């Protein structure tokens, strides 16, 4: 996730596109867990230049895991909402 964030900041367009794709994969709470997904969603929300297709893919992600940790709760869903609204 940190490497993708670095590519978003300093990479060329192809690297940024690849980083966004990987971050969307890592934003799935069912596949990577709540904390990693929230970290990936934070990077996507704050640092990525998302196009409509990226926002649509993010909007399709699970909003929370079956048993989210108390501290994570519905935070992934809130980040999905924010990231899909555009900037």
């Amino acid at each position: 996730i940190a490497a993708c964030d670095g590519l978003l900041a300093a990479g060329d367009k192809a690297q940024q596109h690849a980083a966004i794709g990987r971050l969307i994969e890592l934003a799935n709470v069912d596949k990577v867990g709540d904390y990693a997904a929230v970290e990936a969603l934070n990077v996507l929300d704050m640092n990525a230049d998302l196009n409509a297709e990226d926002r649509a893919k993010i909007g399709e992600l699970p909003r929370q895991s079956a048993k989210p940790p108390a501290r994570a709760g519905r935070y992934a869903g809130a980040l999905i909402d924010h990231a899909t609204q555009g900037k």
Side-chain angles (χ1 to χ4, degrees):
I1 294 170
C4 290
D5 194 16
L7 288 172
L8 291 175
D12 61 30
K13 291 288 183 190
Q15 292 169 326
Q16 291 171 355
H17 179 72
I20 289 171
R22 184 64 178 136
L23 285 166
I24 291 172
E25 292 173 10
L26 293 170
N28 186 323
V29 295
D30 290 338
K31 291 184 179 180
V32 301
D34 291 274
Y35 292 113
V38 163
E39 186 174 349
L41 284 164
N42 271 317
V43 173
L44 286 165
D45 184 40
M46 298 300 294
N47 300 334
D49 184 16
L50 302 171
N51 60 34
E53 183 180 344
D54 297 331
R55 285 193 285 280
K57 288 178 185 176
I58 293 168
E60 294 172 0
L61 291 168
R63 301 181 59 74
Q64 74 179 50
S65 63
K67 294 182 181 179
R71 293 186 67 193
R74 297 183 181 137
Y75 192 51
L79 285 169
I80 289 169
D81 289 342
H82 195 265
T84 56
Q85 291 175 2
K87 293 181 182 176

